[in-house]
Amino acid sequence: VYKRQDCIPLILLTNERAVVLHLSRKNLVRGIMDEALDFVDPDRLKRVYIGPHICKNHLTYDQDHRDEEVYVFRKMFPRAVFEKNDNWQVSIRKGLQFYLDKWAIGKEKIIEDGRCTYEQASLASRRRSSSCGGDEGKKQNFTIVWRET
């Protein structure tokens, strides 16, 4: 079981193991995907599961709220940051795609739940909660992994 809110729950499956990653923009910048190579060989991946997460339309930063890691993210993943009305829209999913392409993971191996945690009221979202002043910050989304034999 894996708990989280707006970040991507990423599960890398081989015949031998499941590697579960909490994928945020900060974790991408800090090298989590390179560290995953200590636990899984991309050539042995059978499936990649990408769970619901916040989309770029709701992961935005204006000039006053861009920390250093947002700038580093933009430098590392230029195709994952979009400018709109003086805001930067950040796509964690596009940052992930950089690695899926680098590892030659084809679409046939990817199972993706494309729901946005901010837009889907049934899913917990820290950003939606803080923008609405709600009590949702205590809720979590759960991703459950099991292997059929």
Side-chain angles (χ1 to χ4, degrees):
V1 176
Y2 166 64
K3 299 188 311 182
R4 47 107 204 136
Q5 289 187 339
D6 291 328
C7 298
I8 295 177
L10 179 68
I11 303 166
L12 306 172
L13 296 170
T14 69
N15 285 336
E16 297 80 33
R17 64 178 50 169
V19 176
V20 181
L21 301 174
H22 176 100
L23 206 60
S24 67
R25 67 172 174 85
K26 289 181 180 183
N27 287 346
L28 278 171
V29 166
R30 294 173 184 166
I32 193 169
M33 295 301 290
D34 293 322
E35 291 174 14
L37 297 176
D38 292 340
F39 302 97
V40 66
D41 177 356
D43 293 333
R44 299 186 69 164
L45 288 173
K46 299 296 180 193
R47 289 274 182 257
V48 173
Y49 172 77
I50 303 168
H53 56 279
I54 195 163
C55 70
K56 69 175 176 62
N57 296 332
H58 302 291
L59 188 56
T60 60
Y61 298 90
D62 62 23
Q63 272 188 324
D64 296 332
H65 294 93
R66 293 180 196 151
D67 59 24
E68 182 62 29
E69 283 174 315
V70 174
Y71 288 96
V72 174
F73 186 91
R74 184 179 189 200
K75 185 175 181 178
M76 289 176 69
F77 311 105
R79 293 183 177 167
V81 178
F82 308 86
E83 291 188 40
K84 184 176 181 180
N85 301 328
D86 294 326
N87 289 323
W88 286 1
Q89 295 178 320
V90 174
S91 173
I92 302 169
R93 175 64 180 87
K94 292 276 188 188
L96 167 60
Q97 190 63 47
F98 169 84
Y99 289 97
L100 297 178
D101 292 344
K102 180 178 172 181
W103 295 350
I105 306 299
K107 291 180 181 181
E108 72 282 355
K109 291 185 178 182
I110 298 172
I111 300 170
E112 184 166 6
D113 182 333
R115 294 178 295 166
C116 172
T117 51
Y118 188 96
E119 294 171 356
Q120 187 75 35
S122 64
L123 297 172
S125 169
R126 184 186 59 77
R127 283 189 175 254
R128 183 180 60 236
S129 178
S130 61
S131 71
C132 298
D135 190 31
E136 197 168 310
K138 297 176 184 172
K139 289 173 39 178
Q140 296 284 318
N141 298 315
F142 289 86
T143 300
I144 301 172
V145 182
W146 71 92
R147 173 171 286 164
E148 294 182 17
T149 55

